[in-house]
Amino acid sequence: MTGKMPTPEIERAFDLALIIQAEHDLNASTFAARLTVSTLSDIYSAVVSAIGTLRGPLHGGANERVIEMLREIATKDKVIPYVEERLNRKEKIFGFGHRIYKKPDPRAEILKKQSKLFWDKEAPNHAVHDNLHEMAVMMEEYMLKTKNLYPNVDFYSGPLLHALGVPSPLFTPLFATCRSVGWIAHAIEQL
């Protein structure tokens, strides 16, 4: 995917990211999959329904938007002014808040630790921008202090995948790939 053979360390981190995102309760895409098979449709149609739901900007693609946002900010000194400006305009800060987790999302905590490991080691994309992981931590601290919002799984999966050299247009398809395991399990249970 990156044009290079991954190290065992990168393989483990990539596997971890896929496993963490494989299944999570009854979110919008999982509900769509279950609803589809509840009509006695097939599992393929359930997965297509789930993918269609995931494509919506309020469910899928948030980790890609996180990276776009961090790239737009570009340097650590611009993090807080950027967030303040967006909040003042009542715009969404992608990767924050969760329907279930009102306290820290345990998946985000794991991905945050993994992301830091790769940024500390000069990630493949590190030289392109100021340290995106540090920028993300600054944003997390500010959002918690001002809005009492914790990051969700999407927030740190973006910096981790970026650090691993995964092109950002592949973030959502990768999410769909690993989440399909959960969708299929739910569909079978529904049937």
Side-chain angles (χ1 to χ4, degrees), residues 25-71:
D25 205 23
L26 193 59
N27 53 62
S29 57
T30 302
F31 178 76
R34 288 187 79 121
L35 182 64
T36 299
V37 296
S38 75
T39 68
L40 299 182
S41 187
D42 57 66
I43 288 181
Y44 302 107
S45 299
V47 170
V48 169
S49 294
I51 289 170
T53 305
L54 185 69
R55 190 175 188 291
L58 295 181
H59 184 36
N63 56 5
E64 189 175 343
R65 286 179 182 85
V66 168
I67 285 300
E68 290 168 2
M69 180 175 60
L70 291 170
R71 283 180 178 158

Side-chain angles (χ1 to χ4, degrees), residues 13 17 21 62-71 94-96 108 111-120 122-126 130-140 151-166 168 171:
Q21 297 177 92
N63 56 5
E64 189 175 343
R65 286 179 182 85
V66 168
I67 285 300
E68 290 168 2
M69 180 175 60
L70 291 170
R71 283 180 178 158
F94 289 100
F96 285 91
L111 291 173
K112 177 182 180 179
K113 287 177 188 168
Q114 195 68 40
S115 174
K116 183 177 181 350
L117 290 175
F118 283 92
W119 283 107
D120 285 349
E122 297 291 320
N125 293 325
H126 183 78
D130 202 358
N131 189 327
L132 295 184
H133 179 81
E134 282 184 31
M135 291 168 58
V137 171
M138 290 174 67
M139 190 176 290
E140 174 188 0
N152 57 42
V153 69
D154 299 312
F155 190 69
Y156 282 106
S157 69
L160 174 59
L161 292 173
H162 182 76
L164 296 177
V166 176
S168 57
F171 289 7

Side-chain angles (χ1 to χ4, degrees), residues 120-191:
D120 285 349
K121 293 181 178 184
E122 297 291 320
N125 293 325
H126 183 78
V128 178
H129 296 287
D130 202 358
N131 189 327
L132 295 184
H133 179 81
E134 282 184 31
M135 291 168 58
V137 171
M138 290 174 67
M139 190 176 290
E140 174 188 0
E141 290 169 354
Y142 185 79
M143 289 295 287
L144 183 58
K145 183 176 80 176
T146 61
K147 291 293 190 180
N148 199 33
L149 286 175
Y150 291 90
N152 57 42
V153 69
D154 299 312
F155 190 69
Y156 282 106
S157 69
L160 174 59
L161 292 173
H162 182 76
L164 296 177
V166 176
S168 57
L170 297 180
F171 289 7
T172 303
L174 281 171
F175 183 74
T177 300
C178 59
R179 186 54 64 97
S180 66
V181 174
W183 295 332
I184 291 168
H186 273 277
I188 290 169
E189 181 182 282
Q190 182 71 36
L191 288 170

